[in-house]
Amino acid sequence: MVSMTEGCGRLTVLVAGMPRSGSTWLFNAARLLLAATGRPVHAAWVADRDPDDPAPMHLVKVHTPEEAAFPHDLVLTTRRPIDECLASLIRMGWLKPDAEAIRTNHRIQTSLYDHWAARSTLETTYDDILHRPEAAVARIAEALGLAPDAARDARLAADLAALRAPESGRYDPETLLHPRHRGSDDGTPEADTVALVRAALAEM
């Protein structure tokens, strides 16, 4: 746990995980929790990070180890079944629905997961994000050194559910949501895409 008391030095928090594993939700949960302290927060995708921003709290989202080549205090991560991550990448148009491409990306995703899991302060599961968001927010708050506050956690869980992706462009620089970021209402990839991924992985 990291102290969030006044007078401490800069706190730098990484949100790191496999693409399409719930890391954007985790980023926004941490962003809203830190903002609720009333202290300035510099929250950004790593490419937009300003290391000289004077805010006492920096929250940075990354995916690869190479993107995290700067000092940080704790790492928040996510876990989702890799076949679902791959199906979600296909839905977004970021992965070809090709068996060899799927298998190659599976190896990349596995390597990323193993790297960040070994360094994680707190891992949030995708299942908790979908079905137990208030409890997930509470655990993130604890990892950030914040006092328990059930009302805050309920409010922020509702705020997270209400976030909307942009209709066009690259991504919202505040929320990091991309157009078409969410698939079905419950976040579950289409069954035929998951079946395609599993068939490709069965041949590994």
Side-chain angles (χ1 to χ4, degrees), residues 41-192:
V41 183
H42 174 52
W45 167 243
V46 63
D48 301 326
R49 166 181 174 259
D50 178 3
D52 297 320
D53 189 292
M57 299 183 292
H58 282 209
L59 177 70
V60 186
K61 186 184 175 201
V62 303
H63 286 306
T64 70
E66 294 76 20
E67 292 168 339
F70 52 87
H72 45 273
D73 299 294
L74 67 159
V75 181
L76 305 178
T77 64
T78 49
R79 175 166 52 87
R80 183 185 190 184
I82 293 180
D83 55 355
E84 292 185 10
C85 294
L86 297 174
S88 186
L89 285 168
I90 291 171
R91 185 188 67 78
M92 291 293 293
W94 297 343
L95 175 63
K96 293 181 180 179
D98 169 81
E100 190 54 42
I102 290 169
R103 289 191 286 269
T104 296
N105 202 274
H106 181 273
R107 289 187 285 270
I108 294 170
Q109 294 278 81
T110 300
S111 177
L112 287 176
Y113 175 77
D114 290 344
H115 176 87
W116 293 122
R119 293 158 176 80
S120 181
T121 305
L122 174 73
E123 180 179 82
T124 299
T125 69
Y126 195 74
D127 190 63
D128 280 348
I129 290 171
L130 289 183
H131 304 298
R132 294 167 290 278
E134 290 183 31
V137 170
R139 285 191 294 272
I140 296 162
E142 182 180 11
L144 292 171
L146 301 177
D149 186 335
R152 174 203 61 202
D153 300 339
R155 182 180 72 254
L156 295 188
D159 290 345
L160 288 162
L163 291 178
R164 293 293 175 260
E167 295 184 2
S168 60
R170 294 182 61 210
Y171 57 85
D172 184 312
E174 179 179 45
T175 67
L176 307 190
L177 291 169
H178 288 79
R180 300 177 60 247
H181 200 103
R182 296 188 178 109
S184 61
D185 290 340
D186 68 354
T188 304
E190 296 173 354
D192 57 347

